[in-house]
Amino acid sequence: MAIPLVDLKAQFAALREEIMPAIAGALESMQLFLGPNVRALEEEFAAYCGVPFAIGVGSGTDALHLALRAAGVGPGDEVITVPWTFIATVEAIVYTGATPVFVDIEPRTYCLDVEALRRAITPRTKAVIPVHVYGHSCDMAPIMALARQHDLFVLEDAAQAHGATYGGDSVGILGHAAAFSFYMSKNLGAYGEAGMITTEDEELAARVRMLRNHGDVGRHEHAIIGYNARLDEVQAAILRVKLRHLPEWVRLRQQHAAAYNERLADLPVTTPYVADWAEHSFYLYTIRVPDRERVIAALKEREIACALHYQRPQHKQPACAPYVTDPSAFPECDQASGEILCLPMYPELTEDQIGEVCKAVGRALS
Ligand SMILES: *Cc1c(COP(=O)(O)O)cnc(C)c1O
């Protein structure tokens, strides 16, 4: 039985009766932008995160970019982040004209190393983007303490972390703003491009609203040069349906992770670490295997999908070369990139499928 990394067809089959009328409703109204579905989704997603403001935008990349722009990040500024992320985090920084500065990760959580952050702060540092990678929150308290000390804007990259918590609080409320992606494979995924910014800062929220819609302030007046970065009504209608299922999906992901942990316990692999203060939302279930090639081959033989996020972290990407002064400065990223292996993870995964995957891993390592 072939097992995909993510099974969006199974999810759609289960949701068809709810999704199709929602799409039809948006189309019948022919109000396709900045209408009732976007407004309702913004309110519902804000409530889900426990944050006062949420602003729908065109993608997770737009969310990162517009949040930085709204915070005044621009040329001459440095923005600190990790190489252990998708390139969009870096792109958003470069789009503003600021310079990305990379720091290494903490090896158990794969999140930004707070001591490395402390060392990387300079008088030009304007912002920091901690990435809640795989669905595990960064250790935000010391990051926010450093931010207060050095007057930094903290933007959570929560693109992989819908449903994750830190000390009981949802991601999205931990920094000054947060960026979420609704790319199709994410914990909450649209059927096109979509993203969201959350914040407690009313002025920042207002600037983002202006930026996403060509600087428009109504009555055909454009106050600033903005972007075409709107979230559309059809995607918002789909996301509103899916958001109602998100808490249950996160619970299932956690249940599947526990099942994996149990079945992999006796094998020479490292299962995902979860810090005391974190509730992991398992966008990806990532193990470490020193002898990875044998496991990959065994999975392939059984038609079981796997992925390597990140086989090539950003400090090794040609596009990021201008921002890497010392390629050897990221030993934890380098070590992890040779060992990590993401196994199938999605709410519809069955116990039998988890058993199949673990059997294949076990056979490869025995
Ligand atoms: C998916 C992702 C993004 C970008 O989101 P898009 O919606 O694809 O633009 C940004 N950061 C991280 C960490 C991601 O995983």
Side-chain angles (χ1 to χ4, degrees):
M1 113 183 120
I3 306 175
L5 196 65
V6 177
D7 194 347
L8 294 173
K9 285 184 185 167
Q11 191 195 60
F12 179 63
L15 291 184
R16 174 183 264 280
E17 304 303 314
E18 290 175 79
I19 297 243
M20 295 315 282
I23 294 174
L27 294 182
E28 276 154 12
S29 77
M30 269 305 147
Q31 201 174 346
L32 296 178
F33 290 95
L34 302 177
N37 281 298
V38 169
R39 280 195 296 275
L41 176 69
E42 288 174 342
E43 277 179 28
E44 290 155 8
F45 194 74
Y48 177 75
C49 295
V51 71
F53 306 105
I55 308 98
V57 292
S59 66
T61 309
D62 281 345
L64 289 162
H65 175 210
L66 268 52
L68 291 175
R69 280 295 311 271
V73 173
D77 295 330
E78 291 175 353
V79 179
I80 299 175
T81 193
V82 285
W84 201 259
T85 185
F86 181 57
I87 194 166
T89 318
V90 188
E91 288 174 320
I93 298 167
V94 174
Y95 294 162
T96 67
T99 304
V101 173
F102 293 115
V103 297
D104 207 358
I105 53 170
E106 187 283 311
R108 290 178 305 177
T109 60
Y110 308 92
C111 288
L112 175 148
D113 178 337
V114 178
E115 282 314 306
L117 167 65
R118 188 192 309 276
R119 289 193 298 272
I121 294 170
T122 74
R124 287 170 61 192
T125 307
K126 174 92 174 190
V128 49
I129 309 182
V131 181
H132 305 311
V133 73
Y134 305 149
H136 189 290
S137 169
C138 297
D139 189 4
M140 292 300 292
I143 295 171
M144 296 312 290
L146 279 173
R148 274 190 295 278
Q149 210 179 325
H150 297 276
D151 194 24
L152 309 177
F153 176 69
V154 178
L155 172 60
E156 300 168 65
D157 185 334
Q160 301 186 2
H162 325 63
T165 67
Y166 175 77
D169 290 328
S170 171
V171 301
I173 197 172
L174 307 169
H176 299 111
F180 288 86
S181 164
F182 301 132
Y183 183 68
M184 62 179 189
S185 64
K186 301 289 163 74
N187 283 5
L188 177 59
Y191 294 151
E193 303 287 347
M196 187 79 80
I197 293 164
T198 57
T199 183
E200 293 180 87
D201 181 339
E202 189 165 9
E203 277 176 39
L204 187 100
R207 281 198 295 280
V208 169
R209 279 181 207 286
M210 235 191 283
L211 282 167
R212 76 170 168 186
N213 190 27
H214 302 287
D216 187 271
V217 287
R219 304 172 309 279
H220 305 288
E221 184 181 333
H222 300 272
I224 53 172
I225 296 291
Y227 300 89
N228 179 349
R230 295 173 298 242
L231 169 60
D232 75 77
E233 283 284 310
V234 172
Q235 299 309 326
I238 293 164
L239 288 164
R240 289 184 67 203
V241 170
K242 289 192 170 200
L243 179 57
R244 295 199 288 268
H245 297 272
L246 183 58
E248 172 66 3
W249 288 339
V250 171
R251 197 189 63 72
L252 286 166
R253 286 173 182 275
Q254 291 165 340
Q255 190 178 307
H256 300 334
Y260 268 128
N261 289 345
E262 204 182 301
R263 288 167 190 265
L264 295 172
D266 297 329
L267 296 174
V269 305
T270 307
T271 54
Y273 172 80
V274 184
D276 292 345
W277 33 259
E279 200 183 330
H280 203 313
S281 61
F282 290 103
Y283 165 58
L284 290 172
Y285 182 87
T286 305
I287 59 173
R288 284 203 194 214
V289 201
D291 201 355
R292 187 169 67 186
E293 292 313 312
R294 270 168 58 193
V295 177
I296 293 173
L299 292 172
K300 201 167 174 192
E301 198 191 306
R302 311 258 153 209
E303 293 180 81
I304 298 168
C306 63
L308 304 176
H309 298 301
Y310 294 93
Q311 185 174 32
R312 207 162 175 187
Q314 297 313 318
H315 69 289
K316 296 259 182 74
Q317 295 290 352
C320 297
Y323 317 113
V324 179
T325 41
D326 177 6
S328 69
F330 312 97
E332 296 298 350
C333 287
D334 293 338
Q335 173 87 23
S337 66
E339 296 180 352
I340 44 93
L341 182 65
C342 310
L343 300 177
M345 174 54 87
Y346 46 90
E348 298 77 13
L349 200 60
T350 65
E351 279 276 328
D352 284 352
Q353 288 175 314
I354 294 170
E356 278 285 305
V357 177
C358 295
K359 240 189 282 167
V361 174
R363 266 195 302 267
L365 294 175
S366 64

